[in-house]
Structure formats: C-alpha cells, structure tokens
Amino acid sequence: GRSPEVDDMPSLLREVYRKLIEEVYRRYNDEKSSDVPRIMQKYRGQEAEIYDKVVRKYVFTQEEAVWRPLIEMMYKRFNPSKLADVQKIMAKYKDSEAALYRALCDKYIPTLDRGTAALDDLASAWG
C-alpha cells in the first residue's frame, strides 16, 4: 500500500488551513469562529482559496503594521535569507500584498510536515 505520510499530507494541510482560518476569525470576527468546521466541510479541497478570501477580507484591509508581520513570518520560517529584502519585496508588491502572501502560502505551506513548529509559528503571527 501507500505510505501513511502520503495519505496524511492532505489532512495535515487541511488542519493547517483550519487553524489559520480560525486565527483570523478569532482576531477579526470572533462570532464566526464557530462556523469554521462547517466552512471546512463545505469547501473541502478548497482550503487555500478560503484562507485567501478570509485574509483578503479581514487582514489586507488593515494598515501595513497589521499584515506585514505575516509576510515576515513566512520568510523567517521558510526562507530566512529573504528577510533582508523584505523592504524591497514590499515595495515591488505595493497594493498587491495579499497576492504576495497568497503566493508565499501556496509555495511554503504544502512543504510542512508533522513535528515541525511551523504551524505554531504561522498561527502565532496572528497575535
């Protein structure tokens, strides 16, 4: 049969996105937190899209001080050599920061595996 790691990965990613979506709601619209299980069931297989929509709606409508730590956390956790370039990267993606964050999520979140502290790191970025 297939190795358990291969079978596990989609459920792990669903769990990552569930936790991240919960964190956004907890911070910006707490009364919707209880909807997360229903949302995850309804949009199974579309977790990255749902997370992107929630982040765009609640986070990237805030000032830079709110969302910049999210972008910095992605680089810090997955590509620390880019941290020195964050200012340049932010300038390049001015007014497209949500698209930048989505690209980072799409690139790095699927590389997570069990036993890493990355999920806690990402969730802690929400404060």
Side-chain angles (χ1 to χ4, degrees), residues 21-32:
I21 290 166
E22 279 178 351
E23 290 296 327
V24 176
Y25 280 138
R26 185 180 59 76
R27 184 158 177 189
Y28 296 103
N29 192 356
D30 198 34
E31 61 271 17
K32 287 206 80 145

Side-chain angles (χ1 to χ4, degrees), residues 51-87:
Y51 181 55
D52 183 53
K53 284 189 167 93
V54 169
V55 167
R56 285 173 190 262
K57 178 175 182 177
Y58 293 106
V59 182
F60 284 93
T61 54
Q62 312 281 327
E63 69 257 16
E64 181 178 342
V66 171
W67 48 257
R68 182 177 173 136
L70 298 176
I71 291 171
E72 289 174 343
M73 176 58 73
M74 293 298 278
Y75 284 126
K76 182 176 162 194
R77 181 63 187 83
F78 296 105
N79 195 348
S81 64
K82 290 273 193 193
L83 275 173
D85 298 330
V86 165
Q87 200 60 47

Side-chain angles (χ1 to χ4, degrees), residues 4-123:
E5 290 81 20
V6 174
D7 292 337
D8 258 11
M9 206 49 180
S11 64
L12 175 64
L13 283 179
R14 276 196 302 277
E15 177 65 17
V16 168
Y17 283 114
R18 182 192 63 73
K19 185 163 177 136
L20 292 172
I21 290 166
E22 279 178 351
E23 290 296 327
V24 176
Y25 280 138
R26 185 180 59 76
R27 184 158 177 189
Y28 296 103
N29 192 356
D30 198 34
E31 61 271 17
K32 287 206 80 145
S33 294
S34 60
D35 286 350
V36 171
R38 184 187 58 77
I39 291 167
M40 297 304 288
Q41 190 63 43
K42 182 176 179 181
Y43 296 102
R44 190 179 174 98
Q46 302 171 57
E47 292 84 1
E49 286 77 17
I50 298 306
Y51 181 55
D52 183 53
K53 284 189 167 93
V54 169
V55 167
R56 285 173 190 262
K57 178 175 182 177
Y58 293 106
V59 182
F60 284 93
T61 54
Q62 312 281 327
E63 69 257 16
E64 181 178 342
V66 171
W67 48 257
R68 182 177 173 136
L70 298 176
I71 291 171
E72 289 174 343
M73 176 58 73
M74 293 298 278
Y75 284 126
K76 182 176 162 194
R77 181 63 187 83
F78 296 105
N79 195 348
S81 64
K82 290 273 193 193
L83 275 173
D85 298 330
V86 165
Q87 200 60 47
K88 275 192 287 193
I89 293 166
M90 300 294 283
K92 179 180 176 184
Y93 286 92
K94 178 113 178 80
D95 301 322
S96 302
E97 296 90 358
L100 169 63
Y101 185 66
R102 170 68 192 267
L104 294 173
C105 288
D106 287 350
K107 180 175 183 177
Y108 295 124
I109 288 177
T111 69
L112 291 173
D113 56 21
R114 290 199 190 288
T116 68
L119 176 53
D120 293 334
D121 289 348
L122 294 177

